[in-house]
Amino acid sequence: MAQILDGAALAAAIQHDVAEEVKQLAARGIRPGLAAVLVGHVPASQIYVRNKVQACAELGISSDLLTPPDRITTEEMLALVDQLNRRDDIDGILIQLPLPAHIDSKRLLDAIDPAKDVDGFHPVNSGRLLAGRPALAPCTPAGVLEILKRSHLPIAGQHAVVVGRSDIVGKPVAALLLHADATVTICHSKTRDLPSITRQADILVAAIGRPGLITPEMVKPGATLLDVGINRLTTREAFDRFFQGNAQREAAFAKRGSVIVGDIHPKAFEIAGAYTPVPGGVGLLTIAMLMANTVRAAKMRREP
Ligand code: NAD
């Protein structure tokens, strides 16, 4: 029977540790602070930001939510980031993506002080991560490593195959696995004969954005499967392809008209040694890791 790597329990354990660190910092008169910038009215973004601000409150981190008007220009946003870079009470700056199309997101993210880049997207942090220097690593990849470490799953010497090479997930997760002494292979949309490579994986990380692309035939029995993908299924046909006969999912689909599936086909979990479910796996660690990064940024900046 495969071990389920429970994202909620792992996130709670991380948040518990972060709260302890916040208390220790408070004893030295330091209160970590996060600034969250939300532009526009994308409902999912509003929920994400609300959850991040709430997590700060629960852990004793101060937060400042900025909601500039939709029509704000790139120049005005740059001025806002500049102010946040200069504020001593702010340790982390989070710009919720996606931004409205008229704003130059890349320019803006590059303007964040790397010391306050708690999303870990700044090229300086990517470079430091690759060079094995202290860096703020992106939250989802850092969460993947936390899952493995806190579940005491072996990494050193294991063959880790990462499917997906994005700057925010695939590349950084590969770098983190490499630093933890895994033998790492990165696959992507141009990889030839993907199944022959994924079948070699002791640890398989899927960060593709294609529902159930990793099928049971592509998995080595007993492997650890980490599913980063979040894909919404909205048609009956798509639902049946993954969850036909699954009463629990059926009820969810009937209620909401959609269900979430990862990049790994649920049937593949049956032959795994351990796996992260979707939902309820990797996704739940992202906010916990953002909190951990904010405390880390506070420590690195205020106690160099
Ligand atoms: P992306 O679109 O930037 O990158 C996808 C990668 O998959 C690319 O590198 C591409 O080469 C590769 N790919 C595409 N088709 C492929 C194929 N047929 N075979 C092999 N490789 C293929 O996506 P991303 O931003 O890295 O996100 C990946 C998934 O993770 C998405 O479902 C996203 O929603 C999810 N995600 C979840 C979290 C979280 O859990 N908090 C965070 C970020 C992203």
Side-chain angles (χ1 to χ4, degrees):
M1 200 46 182
Q3 178 190 357
I4 299 172
L5 304 170
D6 178 355
L10 290 157
I14 294 165
Q15 300 216 0
H16 174 268
D17 292 353
V18 172
E20 282 304 309
E21 286 186 84
V22 171
K23 272 189 211 149
Q24 285 167 19
L25 285 173
R28 300 211 294 281
I30 297 171
R31 185 166 190 219
L34 177 73
V37 185
L38 173 67
V39 189
H41 302 277
V42 177
S45 294
Q46 289 171 326
I47 294 169
Y48 291 146
V49 168
R50 198 193 313 138
N51 290 345
K52 289 167 186 175
V53 168
Q54 193 186 328
C56 284
E58 284 166 12
L59 301 184
I61 295 171
S62 78
S63 66
D64 200 346
L65 173 60
L66 295 102
T67 53
D70 297 8
R71 59 180 184 285
I72 190 165
T73 63
T74 301
E75 296 305 326
E76 287 163 338
M77 279 291 277
L78 285 167
L80 183 72
V81 167
D82 185 49
Q83 277 173 24
L84 295 172
N85 282 342
R86 289 164 196 268
R87 269 176 62 182
D88 197 44
D89 61 324
I90 295 296
D91 297 289
I93 302 171
L94 174 136
I95 297 178
Q96 186 63 45
L97 301 176
L99 287 167
H102 69 274
I103 298 176
D104 185 342
S105 303
K106 215 166 215 163
R107 220 177 129 201
L108 210 58
L109 295 179
D110 286 359
I112 294 175
D113 179 347
K116 298 189 176 189
D117 169 39
V118 280
D119 263 335
F121 293 160
H122 196 287
V124 165
N125 277 315
S126 321
R128 283 193 188 140
L129 178 66
L130 207 58
R133 308 269 180 87
L136 292 167
C139 299
T140 301
V144 167
L145 266 286
E146 282 293 314
I147 292 172
L148 292 169
K149 288 180 180 165
R150 286 178 184 258
S151 308
H152 308 291
L153 291 161
I155 308 175
Q158 301 289 84
H159 188 179
V161 175
V162 178
V163 189
R165 58 172 163 184
S166 71
D167 291 328
I168 60 167
V169 190
K171 283 185 207 165
V173 91
L176 289 166
L177 286 162
L178 190 61
H179 292 317
D181 295 329
T183 300
V184 181
T185 304
I186 306 175
C187 302
H188 47 79
S189 54
K190 300 284 190 293
T191 296
R192 267 188 285 131
D193 196 5
L194 182 65
S196 74
I197 302 171
T198 55
R199 271 198 298 271
Q200 295 174 35
D202 304 307
I203 297 170
L204 181 60
V205 182
I208 314 161
R210 303 269 184 282
L213 184 108
I214 306 292
T215 54
E217 307 75 56
M218 297 168 75
V219 171
K220 174 159 83 175
T224 297
L225 306 181
L226 296 144
D227 194 350
V228 182
I230 300 174
N231 309 290
R232 190 173 289 279
L233 305 177
T234 54
T235 67
R236 183 78 230 179
E237 188 200 355
F239 176 88
D240 285 344
R241 220 157 21 99
F242 294 100
F243 300 116
Q244 198 169 32
N246 180 328
Q248 201 184 345
R249 294 291 194 133
E250 190 71 61
F253 188 66
K255 191 170 160 200
R256 296 194 201 97
S258 69
V259 285
I260 302 288
V261 70
D263 291 341
I264 301 181
H265 196 292
K267 283 251 173 278
F269 295 146
E270 293 171 15
I271 58 164
Y275 70 94
T276 57
V278 177
V282 176
L284 295 184
L285 271 81
T286 301
I287 290 182
M289 295 314 295
L290 176 71
M291 299 297 112
N293 263 357
T294 304
V295 170
R296 181 134 189 267
K299 284 182 167 173
M300 293 196 318
R301 195 174 64 87
R302 302 198 203 204
E303 328 177 297

